[in-house]
Amino acid sequence: MMERRIQNLNWKVFAELVKDNRGAILPVGTIEAHGCANLGTDITIPEFIAEKAAEKLNLLIAPTVNYGITRTLLPYSGSLTVSSEVFEAYVLEVAESLINTGFEWILILNGHGGNNAELESVARKLWKNTGGKSIVIHWWDFCEPLTVKMLKEKGTHAGLNENYMVMAANPDLVREDLFDARDIYRVRDGAYPYPNAGTILKYEDNSASLRFDRQEAEEYASAVVEYIFQYVKKVVQNWEITF
């Protein structure tokens, strides 16, 4: 299997590969508490998707942006953040540098909801500044129809969908022995506790059930990668017609 991670390539090898790999994947996440999963859940998942999707799409993988905008879970131990302004400016310059080094477009795989608005702003500014195209995928939102179909519930923070993606990437990062139902908090519209009252956040009464079925996790993760792949492939095909 070809090495696709840019940081592992020699510059001369990269110079040849970029001619045929017109797009790059940029994983983006943050560090924050995630129930019984790792603090870097929002990094682990987009990196996992990137590794699988890169082969399907013939893309190279840029080094991950590990620090994002953590808000209501910041007071929990181990959670880290940067400001909105710094985050957006930094990601934009990274994206511009990728375009300037030879890529035509970037797939920004986002693992964290706190980054959404800033990454969409990056996409608009990237086009304005460089003419570079981009696709921003907030994987859990984008894959919600698939999640409901396969897992019979909507996605949640540190819930079944995220835990299953982490389990597929590295089962050692999900600690079933540390699961505590008291960590589950039902988010309510019109109420804003700070810090949030749990590290497993559910948005509907019938969500945030946790199972630890390795086979189900791998089947779900495989379907997520395919779901994203099919969409990105279609976007790129349409770009080729228009641009």
Side-chain angles (χ1 to χ4, degrees):
M1 184 178 297
M2 186 182 89
E3 176 60 70
R4 294 182 179 274
R5 290 167 294 179
I6 292 174
Q7 67 264 34
N8 291 344
L9 297 172
N10 176 272
W11 71 273
K12 294 180 181 180
V13 174
F14 174 85
E16 292 302 314
L17 288 177
V18 75
K19 296 175 183 177
D20 297 321
N21 295 260
R22 294 183 297 165
I25 302 178
L26 177 61
V28 181
T30 199
I31 302 289
E32 70 174 359
H34 272 81
C36 59
N38 57 320
L39 285 161
T41 286
D42 292 343
I43 297 167
T44 300
I45 296 173
E47 286 186 338
F48 170 80
I49 296 172
E51 290 177 5
K52 301 298 182 181
E55 288 293 326
K56 291 175 171 286
L57 292 163
N58 192 30
L59 303 177
L60 298 182
I61 304 172
T64 303
V65 176
N66 289 294
Y67 299 96
I69 306 163
T70 302
R71 292 188 171 91
T72 63
L73 296 177
L74 182 59
Y76 286 90
S77 183
S79 298
L80 305 173
T81 194
V82 296
S83 70
S84 172
E85 295 78 13
V86 168
F87 174 78
E88 182 175 329
Y90 181 75
V91 177
L92 177 60
E93 291 200 17
V94 170
E96 289 175 345
S97 188
L98 287 168
I99 295 298
N100 290 335
T101 200
F103 293 108
E104 296 178 11
W105 63 277
I106 303 170
L107 171 58
I108 300 176
L109 280 176
N110 179 32
H112 176 58
N115 300 336
N116 287 20
E118 287 77 7
L119 292 178
E120 290 163 15
S121 178
V122 165
R124 296 188 295 271
K125 292 177 180 177
L126 181 65
W127 172 265
K128 180 180 179 181
N129 295 351
T130 69
K133 299 181 288 293
S134 58
I135 307 170
V136 179
I137 297 284
H138 313 303
W139 82 267
W140 67 99
D141 276 343
F142 179 74
C143 294
E144 188 84 314
L146 178 68
T147 300
V148 171
K149 180 180 178 181
M150 293 191 69
L151 304 183
K152 310 306 179 186
E153 65 174 55
K154 292 184 177 181
T156 62
H157 175 87
L160 188 58
N161 60 330
E162 285 200 311
N163 274 276
Y164 269 3
M165 291 299 290
V166 174
M167 285 177 65
N170 182 350
D172 292 337
L173 297 180
V174 177
R175 295 283 304 274
E176 184 177 359
D177 60 306
L178 296 181
F179 171 62
D180 187 336
R182 292 173 296 182
D183 290 334
I184 300 174
Y185 170 67
R186 170 67 159 89
V187 176
R188 304 281 179 177
D189 291 338
Y192 188 76
Y194 194 92
N196 233 321
T199 61
I200 302 173
L201 306 178
K202 67 177 185 177
Y203 307 99
E204 294 183 342
D205 289 335
N206 62 347
S207 63
S209 61
L210 287 187
R211 303 188 292 275
F212 300 90
D213 185 321
R214 178 75 179 277
Q215 181 176 345
E216 187 178 32
E218 292 178 352
E219 290 172 353
Y220 173 67
S222 178
V224 164
V225 172
E226 181 66 19
Y227 195 75
I228 292 172
F229 160 66
Q230 292 295 341
Y231 173 77
V232 173
K233 182 175 71 171
K234 179 62 175 175
V235 170
V236 174
Q237 287 173 344
N238 286 1
W239 278 343
E240 290 173 349
I241 295 170
T242 306
F243 299 98

